[in-house]
Amino acid sequence: MVAEFGVFVAGGLARIIDFAERILAGEVLDLPGIANEVIHNMCEQLMALHAHIRWYENRLKQVAKEDARVRLLCTIPGVGALTASAIIASLGDGHQFENGRAFAAWLGLTPSNKSSGGKEKLGRITKMGDQYLRSLLVVGMTSLV
């Protein structure tokens, strides 16, 4: 919104939070009065939302420490408290899967099978499963690379 008035904030959460803190500390931009009021109000909302998100992150970490299943999943490289909690919330105990490949197929991470006449042909990954869990796992694994 401030870019419309020629004020640019660098990308990234840390820089936006820093901008909001400066506005709330009293910095006044060279903007019309109502625009400054709107920006100040939006910065207050952003900081309140940021505080709520931090509270939920800390609460999730506490709950993750208490659940043995989440702790076990967190031992996998690239899997943190959020991903592990999401997996537990979706699967429960995971006994419905015979092995890891069945779980990967449920998520849509295995290639489609287009075999015929004894000739094995594998296609692209199916992407038919839970998109949220799949994206959490892919981001976690990409961070390892």
Short mmCIF file of all heavy atoms in Angstrom, two decimals, residues 19-75:
data_model
loop_
_atom_site.label_atom_id
_atom_site.label_comp_id
_atom_site.label_asym_id
_atom_site.label_seq_id
_atom_site.Cartn_x
_atom_site.Cartn_y
_atom_site.Cartn_z
N PHE A 19 9.75 -2.37 9.57
CA PHE A 19 9.02 -1.19 9.10
C PHE A 19 7.84 -0.89 10.02
O PHE A 19 7.62 0.25 10.43
CB PHE A 19 8.55 -1.39 7.66
CG PHE A 19 7.65 -0.31 7.15
CD1 PHE A 19 8.17 0.90 6.73
CD2 PHE A 19 6.28 -0.50 7.09
CE1 PHE A 19 7.34 1.92 6.25
CE2 PHE A 19 5.44 0.49 6.62
CZ PHE A 19 5.97 1.71 6.20
N ALA A 20 7.07 -1.93 10.37
CA ALA A 20 5.90 -1.75 11.23
C ALA A 20 6.31 -1.25 12.61
O ALA A 20 5.65 -0.38 13.18
CB ALA A 20 5.13 -3.06 11.35
N GLU A 21 7.41 -1.78 13.15
CA GLU A 21 7.88 -1.33 14.47
C GLU A 21 8.28 0.15 14.43
O GLU A 21 8.02 0.89 15.38
CB GLU A 21 9.06 -2.19 14.92
CG GLU A 21 8.64 -3.58 15.35
CD GLU A 21 9.81 -4.50 15.66
OE1 GLU A 21 10.96 -4.18 15.24
OE2 GLU A 21 9.58 -5.53 16.31
N ARG A 22 8.93 0.57 13.33
CA ARG A 22 9.31 1.99 13.21
C ARG A 22 8.08 2.88 13.14
O ARG A 22 8.04 3.95 13.75
CB ARG A 22 10.19 2.20 11.97
CG ARG A 22 11.58 1.62 12.11
CD ARG A 22 12.53 2.13 11.03
NE ARG A 22 11.94 2.39 9.73
CZ ARG A 22 12.01 1.56 8.68
NH1 ARG A 22 12.66 0.41 8.79
NH2 ARG A 22 11.47 1.89 7.53
N ILE A 23 7.07 2.45 12.41
CA ILE A 23 5.84 3.24 12.31
C ILE A 23 5.17 3.34 13.67
O ILE A 23 4.72 4.41 14.10
CB ILE A 23 4.87 2.62 11.26
CG1 ILE A 23 5.46 2.70 9.86
CG2 ILE A 23 3.50 3.28 11.32
CD1 ILE A 23 5.68 4.09 9.34
N LEU A 24 5.11 2.22 14.39
CA LEU A 24 4.47 2.21 15.70
C LEU A 24 5.29 2.98 16.74
O LEU A 24 4.74 3.45 17.73
CB LEU A 24 4.21 0.78 16.16
CG LEU A 24 3.20 0.00 15.32
CD1 LEU A 24 3.09 -1.43 15.81
CD2 LEU A 24 1.85 0.69 15.30
N ALA A 25 6.60 3.11 16.50
CA ALA A 25 7.45 3.87 17.41
C ALA A 25 7.31 5.38 17.20
O ALA A 25 7.85 6.16 17.99
CB ALA A 25 8.91 3.45 17.24
N GLY A 26 6.61 5.77 16.14
CA GLY A 26 6.37 7.19 15.96
C GLY A 26 6.88 7.77 14.66
O GLY A 26 6.70 8.96 14.40
N GLU A 27 7.54 6.97 13.83
CA GLU A 27 8.01 7.49 12.55
C GLU A 27 6.80 7.86 11.69
O GLU A 27 5.85 7.10 11.56
CB GLU A 27 8.85 6.43 11.83
CG GLU A 27 9.41 6.91 10.51
CD GLU A 27 10.29 5.87 9.84
OE1 GLU A 27 11.05 5.19 10.55
OE2 GLU A 27 10.20 5.75 8.61
N VAL A 28 6.84 9.05 11.13
CA VAL A 28 5.74 9.54 10.29
C VAL A 28 6.24 9.65 8.86
O VAL A 28 7.28 10.26 8.60
CB VAL A 28 5.22 10.91 10.79
CG1 VAL A 28 4.10 11.41 9.90
CG2 VAL A 28 4.76 10.81 12.24
N LEU A 29 5.50 9.04 7.96
CA LEU A 29 5.87 9.10 6.56
C LEU A 29 5.33 10.39 5.95
O LEU A 29 4.38 10.99 6.45
CB LEU A 29 5.28 7.89 5.82
CG LEU A 29 5.71 6.51 6.35
CD1 LEU A 29 4.94 5.42 5.63
CD2 LEU A 29 7.20 6.30 6.18
N ASP A 30 5.95 10.82 4.86
CA ASP A 30 5.50 12.02 4.17
C ASP A 30 4.31 11.67 3.27
O ASP A 30 4.43 11.58 2.05
CB ASP A 30 6.66 12.60 3.34
CG ASP A 30 6.30 13.94 2.73
OD1 ASP A 30 5.38 14.61 3.27
OD2 ASP A 30 6.93 14.31 1.72
N LEU A 31 3.18 11.41 3.93
CA LEU A 31 1.94 11.00 3.25
C LEU A 31 0.79 11.84 3.76
O LEU A 31 0.90 12.49 4.81
CB LEU A 31 1.65 9.52 3.54
CG LEU A 31 2.73 8.49 3.22
CD1 LEU A 31 2.29 7.11 3.68
CD2 LEU A 31 3.03 8.48 1.74
N PRO A 32 -0.32 11.84 3.04
CA PRO A 32 -1.50 12.53 3.58
C PRO A 32 -1.89 11.96 4.94
O PRO A 32 -1.61 10.79 5.26
CB PRO A 32 -2.58 12.24 2.53
CG PRO A 32 -1.85 11.89 1.29
CD PRO A 32 -0.55 11.28 1.72
N GLY A 33 -2.55 12.76 5.76
CA GLY A 33 -2.89 12.38 7.13
C GLY A 33 -3.66 11.08 7.24
O GLY A 33 -3.33 10.22 8.06
N ILE A 34 -4.68 10.92 6.41
CA ILE A 34 -5.48 9.69 6.50
C ILE A 34 -4.66 8.46 6.10
O ILE A 34 -4.84 7.39 6.66
CB ILE A 34 -6.77 9.80 5.66
CG1 ILE A 34 -7.65 8.58 5.94
CG2 ILE A 34 -6.48 9.87 4.19
CD1 ILE A 34 -9.08 8.91 6.13
N ALA A 35 -3.74 8.63 5.15
CA ALA A 35 -2.88 7.52 4.74
C ALA A 35 -1.98 7.08 5.90
O ALA A 35 -1.79 5.89 6.14
CB ALA A 35 -2.06 7.90 3.52
N ASN A 36 -1.44 8.06 6.64
CA ASN A 36 -0.62 7.72 7.80
C ASN A 36 -1.44 6.97 8.85
O ASN A 36 -0.94 6.03 9.48
CB ASN A 36 0.00 8.98 8.41
CG ASN A 36 1.32 9.34 7.76
OD1 ASN A 36 2.12 8.47 7.45
ND2 ASN A 36 1.54 10.62 7.55
N GLU A 37 -2.69 7.40 9.04
CA GLU A 37 -3.55 6.70 10.00
C GLU A 37 -3.81 5.26 9.57
O GLU A 37 -3.77 4.34 10.40
CB GLU A 37 -4.88 7.45 10.16
CG GLU A 37 -4.77 8.78 10.84
CD GLU A 37 -6.08 9.54 10.84
OE1 GLU A 37 -7.15 8.90 10.70
OE2 GLU A 37 -6.05 10.77 10.99
N VAL A 38 -4.10 5.08 8.28
CA VAL A 38 -4.36 3.73 7.77
C VAL A 38 -3.12 2.86 7.90
O VAL A 38 -3.20 1.71 8.34
CB VAL A 38 -4.86 3.79 6.31
CG1 VAL A 38 -4.91 2.42 5.68
CG2 VAL A 38 -6.22 4.47 6.24
N ILE A 39 -1.97 3.39 7.53
CA ILE A 39 -0.71 2.63 7.63
C ILE A 39 -0.45 2.27 9.09
O ILE A 39 -0.06 1.14 9.39
CB ILE A 39 0.47 3.46 7.06
CG1 ILE A 39 0.21 3.87 5.63
CG2 ILE A 39 1.78 2.72 7.23
CD1 ILE A 39 0.35 2.84 4.58
N HIS A 40 -0.64 3.21 10.00
CA HIS A 40 -0.42 2.95 11.42
C HIS A 40 -1.36 1.84 11.90
O HIS A 40 -0.93 0.91 12.61
CB HIS A 40 -0.64 4.23 12.23
CG HIS A 40 -0.22 4.11 13.66
ND1 HIS A 40 -1.04 3.62 14.64
CD2 HIS A 40 0.96 4.41 14.26
CE1 HIS A 40 -0.40 3.62 15.78
NE2 HIS A 40 0.83 4.11 15.58
N ASN A 41 -2.62 1.89 11.50
CA ASN A 41 -3.59 0.87 11.88
C ASN A 41 -3.19 -0.49 11.32
O ASN A 41 -3.27 -1.51 12.02
CB ASN A 41 -4.99 1.28 11.39
CG ASN A 41 -6.06 0.36 11.91
OD1 ASN A 41 -5.84 -0.43 12.80
ND2 ASN A 41 -7.25 0.49 11.35
N MET A 42 -2.76 -0.52 10.07
CA MET A 42 -2.34 -1.78 9.47
C MET A 42 -1.11 -2.35 10.16
O MET A 42 -0.99 -3.56 10.34
CB MET A 42 -2.09 -1.59 7.97
CG MET A 42 -3.36 -1.34 7.18
SD MET A 42 -3.05 -0.99 5.45
CE MET A 42 -2.64 -2.62 4.86
N CYS A 43 -0.20 -1.48 10.57
CA CYS A 43 0.99 -1.94 11.28
C CYS A 43 0.62 -2.52 12.65
O CYS A 43 1.21 -3.52 13.07
CB CYS A 43 2.00 -0.79 11.43
SG CYS A 43 2.80 -0.34 9.88
N GLU A 44 -0.34 -1.91 13.32
CA GLU A 44 -0.82 -2.47 14.58
C GLU A 44 -1.41 -3.86 14.37
O GLU A 44 -1.14 -4.79 15.14
CB GLU A 44 -1.88 -1.56 15.21
CG GLU A 44 -1.35 -0.30 15.83
CD GLU A 44 -2.45 0.61 16.35
OE1 GLU A 44 -3.63 0.45 15.96
OE2 GLU A 44 -2.12 1.50 17.16
N GLN A 45 -2.21 -4.01 13.33
CA GLN A 45 -2.81 -5.31 13.04
C GLN A 45 -1.74 -6.34 12.69
O GLN A 45 -1.81 -7.49 13.12
CB GLN A 45 -3.81 -5.18 11.90
CG GLN A 45 -5.05 -4.40 12.27
CD GLN A 45 -5.98 -4.23 11.08
OE1 GLN A 45 -5.85 -4.90 10.06
NE2 GLN A 45 -6.93 -3.32 11.22
N LEU A 46 -0.75 -5.92 11.90
CA LEU A 46 0.33 -6.83 11.53
C LEU A 46 1.09 -7.30 12.76
O LEU A 46 1.37 -8.51 12.90
CB LEU A 46 1.30 -6.14 10.56
CG LEU A 46 2.55 -6.93 10.21
CD1 LEU A 46 2.20 -8.16 9.39
CD2 LEU A 46 3.55 -6.06 9.48
N MET A 47 1.41 -6.40 13.67
CA MET A 47 2.17 -6.78 14.86
C MET A 47 1.34 -7.67 15.78
O MET A 47 1.87 -8.61 16.38
CB MET A 47 2.65 -5.53 15.61
CG MET A 47 3.66 -4.71 14.81
SD MET A 47 5.07 -5.65 14.20
CE MET A 47 5.91 -6.01 15.72
N ALA A 48 0.03 -7.41 15.87
CA ALA A 48 -0.83 -8.28 16.68
C ALA A 48 -0.91 -9.67 16.07
O ALA A 48 -0.81 -10.68 16.78
CB ALA A 48 -2.22 -7.66 16.80
N LEU A 49 -1.06 -9.74 14.76
CA LEU A 49 -1.10 -11.03 14.08
C LEU A 49 0.22 -11.77 14.24
O LEU A 49 0.24 -12.98 14.49
CB LEU A 49 -1.44 -10.83 12.61
CG LEU A 49 -1.57 -12.08 11.75
CD1 LEU A 49 -2.70 -12.96 12.27
CD2 LEU A 49 -1.82 -11.69 10.31
N HIS A 50 1.31 -11.04 14.12
CA HIS A 50 2.64 -11.64 14.28
C HIS A 50 2.81 -12.21 15.69
O HIS A 50 3.35 -13.31 15.87
CB HIS A 50 3.72 -10.60 13.98
CG HIS A 50 5.10 -11.13 13.97
ND1 HIS A 50 5.55 -12.06 13.06
CD2 HIS A 50 6.17 -10.87 14.78
CE1 HIS A 50 6.80 -12.35 13.32
NE2 HIS A 50 7.20 -11.64 14.36
N ALA A 51 2.33 -11.49 16.69
CA ALA A 51 2.40 -11.98 18.07
C ALA A 51 1.56 -13.25 18.25
O ALA A 51 1.99 -14.20 18.92
CB ALA A 51 1.95 -10.90 19.04
N HIS A 52 0.38 -13.28 17.64
CA HIS A 52 -0.47 -14.48 17.73
C HIS A 52 0.21 -15.67 17.05
O HIS A 52 0.19 -16.79 17.59
CB HIS A 52 -1.83 -14.24 17.07
CG HIS A 52 -2.75 -13.38 17.86
ND1 HIS A 52 -3.20 -13.72 19.11
CD2 HIS A 52 -3.31 -12.18 17.57
CE1 HIS A 52 -4.00 -12.77 19.56
NE2 HIS A 52 -4.07 -11.82 18.65
N ILE A 53 0.80 -15.45 15.90
CA ILE A 53 1.48 -16.54 15.19
C ILE A 53 2.64 -17.07 16.02
O ILE A 53 2.84 -18.28 16.14
CB ILE A 53 1.94 -16.06 13.80
CG1 ILE A 53 0.73 -15.85 12.90
CG2 ILE A 53 2.90 -17.07 13.17
CD1 ILE A 53 1.04 -15.17 11.58
N ARG A 54 3.43 -16.18 16.61
CA ARG A 54 4.54 -16.61 17.48
C ARG A 54 4.02 -17.43 18.66
O ARG A 54 4.63 -18.42 19.05
CB ARG A 54 5.32 -15.39 18.00
CG ARG A 54 6.13 -14.72 16.95
CD ARG A 54 7.35 -15.56 16.63
NE ARG A 54 8.12 -14.89 15.61
CZ ARG A 54 8.69 -15.50 14.60
NH1 ARG A 54 8.58 -16.80 14.46
NH2 ARG A 54 9.38 -14.83 13.71
N TRP A 55 2.89 -17.00 19.26
CA TRP A 55 2.32 -17.73 20.38
C TRP A 55 1.94 -19.14 19.95
O TRP A 55 2.24 -20.11 20.66
CB TRP A 55 1.10 -17.00 20.95
CG TRP A 55 0.55 -17.67 22.16
CD1 TRP A 55 0.95 -17.49 23.45
CD2 TRP A 55 -0.48 -18.67 22.21
NE1 TRP A 55 0.23 -18.30 24.30
CE2 TRP A 55 -0.66 -19.04 23.56
CE3 TRP A 55 -1.26 -19.28 21.24
CZ2 TRP A 55 -1.59 -19.99 23.96
CZ3 TRP A 55 -2.18 -20.24 21.64
CH2 TRP A 55 -2.34 -20.58 22.99
N TYR A 56 1.29 -19.27 18.79
CA TYR A 56 0.90 -20.59 18.30
C TYR A 56 2.11 -21.45 17.94
O TYR A 56 2.10 -22.66 18.17
CB TYR A 56 -0.04 -20.47 17.09
CG TYR A 56 -1.45 -20.11 17.46
CD1 TYR A 56 -2.02 -18.91 17.07
CD2 TYR A 56 -2.22 -20.98 18.22
CE1 TYR A 56 -3.31 -18.58 17.43
CE2 TYR A 56 -3.51 -20.66 18.58
CZ TYR A 56 -4.05 -19.46 18.18
OH TYR A 56 -5.33 -19.14 18.54
N GLU A 57 3.15 -20.85 17.40
CA GLU A 57 4.37 -21.60 17.10
C GLU A 57 4.97 -22.17 18.38
O GLU A 57 5.37 -23.34 18.42
CB GLU A 57 5.39 -20.70 16.40
CG GLU A 57 5.09 -20.41 14.97
CD GLU A 57 6.08 -19.43 14.35
OE1 GLU A 57 6.90 -18.84 15.08
OE2 GLU A 57 6.03 -19.27 13.12
N ASN A 58 5.05 -21.33 19.43
CA ASN A 58 5.60 -21.81 20.70
C ASN A 58 4.72 -22.90 21.30
O ASN A 58 5.23 -23.88 21.85
CB ASN A 58 5.77 -20.65 21.68
CG ASN A 58 6.86 -19.69 21.24
OD1 ASN A 58 7.80 -20.08 20.57
ND2 ASN A 58 6.72 -18.43 21.61
N ARG A 59 3.42 -22.73 21.22
CA ARG A 59 2.48 -23.74 21.75
C ARG A 59 2.62 -25.05 20.99
O ARG A 59 2.62 -26.13 21.58
CB ARG A 59 1.05 -23.21 21.65
CG ARG A 59 0.01 -24.13 22.19
CD ARG A 59 0.07 -24.17 23.73
NE ARG A 59 -0.97 -25.05 24.20
CZ ARG A 59 -0.74 -26.20 24.83
NH1 ARG A 59 0.50 -26.58 25.10
NH2 ARG A 59 -1.73 -26.96 25.21
N LEU A 60 2.78 -24.97 19.68
CA LEU A 60 2.97 -26.17 18.86
C LEU A 60 4.26 -26.89 19.26
O LEU A 60 4.29 -28.11 19.34
CB LEU A 60 3.00 -25.79 17.38
CG LEU A 60 3.16 -26.93 16.39
CD1 LEU A 60 1.97 -27.87 16.45
CD2 LEU A 60 3.33 -26.39 14.99
N LYS A 61 5.31 -26.13 19.51
CA LYS A 61 6.57 -26.75 19.94
C LYS A 61 6.42 -27.44 21.28
O LYS A 61 6.98 -28.52 21.50
CB LYS A 61 7.68 -25.70 20.00
CG LYS A 61 8.13 -25.23 18.64
CD LYS A 61 9.16 -24.12 18.75
CE LYS A 61 9.51 -23.57 17.39
NZ LYS A 61 10.39 -22.42 17.45
N GLN A 62 5.65 -26.85 22.21
CA GLN A 62 5.41 -27.48 23.51
C GLN A 62 4.65 -28.79 23.35
O GLN A 62 5.00 -29.80 23.94
CB GLN A 62 4.61 -26.55 24.42
CG GLN A 62 5.37 -25.37 24.94
CD GLN A 62 4.47 -24.41 25.73
OE1 GLN A 62 3.25 -24.56 25.75
NE2 GLN A 62 5.08 -23.43 26.37
N VAL A 63 3.59 -28.76 22.54
CA VAL A 63 2.79 -29.96 22.32
C VAL A 63 3.63 -31.03 21.63
O VAL A 63 3.52 -32.22 21.94
CB VAL A 63 1.52 -29.63 21.50
CG1 VAL A 63 0.80 -30.88 21.06
CG2 VAL A 63 0.60 -28.74 22.31
N ALA A 64 4.49 -30.61 20.69
CA ALA A 64 5.34 -31.55 19.98
C ALA A 64 6.30 -32.26 20.93
O ALA A 64 6.58 -33.45 20.77
CB ALA A 64 6.12 -30.83 18.89
N LYS A 65 6.78 -31.55 21.95
CA LYS A 65 7.69 -32.18 22.92
C LYS A 65 6.97 -33.22 23.77
O LYS A 65 7.58 -34.17 24.25
CB LYS A 65 8.29 -31.11 23.83
CG LYS A 65 9.31 -30.24 23.15
CD LYS A 65 9.84 -29.19 24.10
CE LYS A 65 10.79 -28.25 23.40
NZ LYS A 65 11.24 -27.16 24.28
N GLU A 66 5.66 -33.05 23.95
CA GLU A 66 4.89 -33.95 24.81
C GLU A 66 4.44 -35.22 24.08
O GLU A 66 4.20 -36.24 24.73
CB GLU A 66 3.66 -33.23 25.36
CG GLU A 66 4.01 -32.05 26.24
CD GLU A 66 2.82 -31.16 26.54
OE1 GLU A 66 1.69 -31.48 26.10
OE2 GLU A 66 3.02 -30.12 27.19
N ASP A 67 4.32 -35.19 22.76
CA ASP A 67 3.81 -36.34 22.00
C ASP A 67 4.99 -37.16 21.46
O ASP A 67 5.81 -36.66 20.69
CB ASP A 67 2.94 -35.83 20.84
CG ASP A 67 2.16 -36.95 20.16
OD1 ASP A 67 2.56 -38.12 20.26
OD2 ASP A 67 1.13 -36.63 19.54
N ALA A 68 5.03 -38.42 21.84
CA ALA A 68 6.14 -39.29 21.43
C ALA A 68 6.15 -39.51 19.92
O ALA A 68 7.23 -39.60 19.31
CB ALA A 68 6.04 -40.63 22.15
N ARG A 69 4.98 -39.57 19.29
CA ARG A 69 4.91 -39.79 17.84
C ARG A 69 5.51 -38.60 17.09
O ARG A 69 6.24 -38.77 16.12
CB ARG A 69 3.47 -40.02 17.39
CG ARG A 69 2.83 -41.25 18.02
CD ARG A 69 1.36 -41.31 17.72
NE ARG A 69 0.71 -40.09 18.23
CZ ARG A 69 -0.55 -39.78 18.02
NH1 ARG A 69 -1.32 -40.57 17.30
NH2 ARG A 69 -1.08 -38.68 18.52
N VAL A 70 5.22 -37.39 17.57
CA VAL A 70 5.76 -36.19 16.94
C VAL A 70 7.26 -36.13 17.14
O VAL A 70 8.01 -35.82 16.21
CB VAL A 70 5.06 -34.92 17.48
CG1 VAL A 70 5.71 -33.66 16.94
CG2 VAL A 70 3.59 -34.94 17.15
N ARG A 71 7.72 -36.46 18.34
CA ARG A 71 9.17 -36.48 18.61
C ARG A 71 9.88 -37.46 17.69
O ARG A 71 10.96 -37.17 17.18
CB ARG A 71 9.45 -36.82 20.07
CG ARG A 71 9.19 -35.69 21.03
CD ARG A 71 9.83 -35.95 22.39
NE ARG A 71 9.63 -37.29 22.89
CZ ARG A 71 8.66 -37.66 23.72
NH1 ARG A 71 7.79 -36.77 24.15
NH2 ARG A 71 8.57 -38.91 24.14
N LEU A 72 9.27 -38.62 17.46
CA LEU A 72 9.87 -39.62 16.59
C LEU A 72 9.95 -39.11 15.15
O LEU A 72 10.98 -39.27 14.49
CB LEU A 72 9.06 -40.93 16.65
CG LEU A 72 9.60 -42.09 15.83
CD1 LEU A 72 10.98 -42.49 16.33
CD2 LEU A 72 8.65 -43.27 15.91
N LEU A 73 8.89 -38.50 14.67
CA LEU A 73 8.91 -37.96 13.31
C LEU A 73 9.91 -36.82 13.17
O LEU A 73 10.50 -36.63 12.10
CB LEU A 73 7.51 -37.48 12.90
CG LEU A 73 6.51 -38.57 12.53
CD1 LEU A 73 5.13 -37.99 12.36
CD2 LEU A 73 6.95 -39.31 11.29
N CYS A 74 10.12 -36.06 14.23
CA CYS A 74 11.06 -34.94 14.18
C CYS A 74 12.51 -35.41 14.06
O CYS A 74 13.39 -34.61 13.75
CB CYS A 74 10.91 -34.05 15.41
SG CYS A 74 9.45 -33.00 15.35
N THR A 75 12.77 -36.69 14.30
CA THR A 75 14.12 -37.21 14.12
C THR A 75 14.49 -37.36 12.64
O THR A 75 15.65 -37.50 12.31
CB THR A 75 14.30 -38.57 14.83
OG1 THR A 75 13.40 -39.52 14.25
CG2 THR A 75 14.05 -38.45 16.32
#
